[in-house]
């Protein structure tokens, strides 16, 4: 699929079948995550691949919407602020920026493979930390990953003219 078609076809999927995601597709998605650009290429992230059926109760505590639990896999991008690059002028740490770029790569790759995702940032951080159980990484974003069983909601998007300004 052409990149611009991928961007046009991507939407926040809120309904999934129970069909498994192939190992080949999952491997492609994780490979794209590993290739995501990060500040100074520090790669301060880890992607947790969570089996929904094995972790259903813990995932319910992370994000309780039923459609979140329909997908066979949930991915979590977690970041390490200690391992991320920090801009010296204002001490801006780039861990969250890097993690968001990683999730974008994941979501666009999944779309190109005909799979559905949904950016989840409104999760319970305590439950998420308990689920991944890491002293190093902090959960930043989640997405269910699976075969689509729900159409897009109609949403207006700003135009290129609305979001850009030439200086």
């Amino acid at each position: 699929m052409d990149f611009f078609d991928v961007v046009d076809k991507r939407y926040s999927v809120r309904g999934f079948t129970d069909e498994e995601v192939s190992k080949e597709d999952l491997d492609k998605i994780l490979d794209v995550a590993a290739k995501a650009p990060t500040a100074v290429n520090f790669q301060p992230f880890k992607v947790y691949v969570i089996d929904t059926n094995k972790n259903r109760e813990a995932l319910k505590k992370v994000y309780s919407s039923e459609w979140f639990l329909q997908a066979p896999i949930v991915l979590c991008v977690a970041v390490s602020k200690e391992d991320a690059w920090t801009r010296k002028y204002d001490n801006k740490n780039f861990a969250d920026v890097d993690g968001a770029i990683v999730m974008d790569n994941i979501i666009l790759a999944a779309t190109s493979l005909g799979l559905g995702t949904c950016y989840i940032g409104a999760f319970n951080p305590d439950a998420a930390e308990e689920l991944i159980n890491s002293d190093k990484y902090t959960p930043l974003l989640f997405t269910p990953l699976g075969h689509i069983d729900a159409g897009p909601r109609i949403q207006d998007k700003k135009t290129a003219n609305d979001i850009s300004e030439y200086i």
Side-chain angles (χ1 to χ4, degrees), residues 52 59 64 68 72 92 122 141:
T52 304
L59 285 168
S64 62
F68 179 67
K92 165 72 176 151
L141 293 163

Side-chain angles (χ1 to χ4, degrees), residues 2-3 14 18-19 25 27 32 42 48 59-60 65 67 78 80 84-85 118 130-131 136 138-139 146 149 153 160 163:
D2 171 83
F3 175 77
R14 290 177 173 85
D18 59 2
E19 181 182 349
D25 284 350
D27 287 346
V32 167
F42 280 7
Y48 290 87
L59 285 168
K60 277 184 190 178
S65 290
W67 55 264
S80 168
W85 179 71
C118 185
E130 186 175 323
L131 174 63
K136 183 175 182 176
T138 302
D149 192 26
R153 296 187 296 180
I163 59 95

Side-chain angles (χ1 to χ4, degrees), residues 29-40:
I29 291 166
L30 294 173
D31 185 56
V32 167
K35 292 176 180 172
T38 60
V40 194

Side-chain angles (χ1 to χ4, degrees), residues 21-80:
V21 173
S22 74
K23 173 136 177 47
E24 179 183 359
D25 284 350
L26 180 58
D27 287 346
K28 286 178 182 177
I29 291 166
L30 294 173
D31 185 56
V32 167
K35 292 176 180 172
T38 60
V40 194
N41 195 36
F42 280 7
Q43 297 180 299
F45 67 90
K46 184 171 281 206
V47 179
Y48 290 87
V49 180
I50 305 161
D51 182 302
T52 304
N53 287 330
K54 292 179 182 174
N55 296 282
R56 185 167 299 279
E57 292 308 310
L59 285 168
K60 277 184 190 178
K61 294 175 186 172
V62 171
Y63 191 77
S64 62
S65 290
E66 190 57 39
W67 55 264
F68 179 67
L69 303 170
Q70 290 173 341
I73 295 172
V74 172
L75 299 177
C76 172
V77 173
V79 296
S80 168

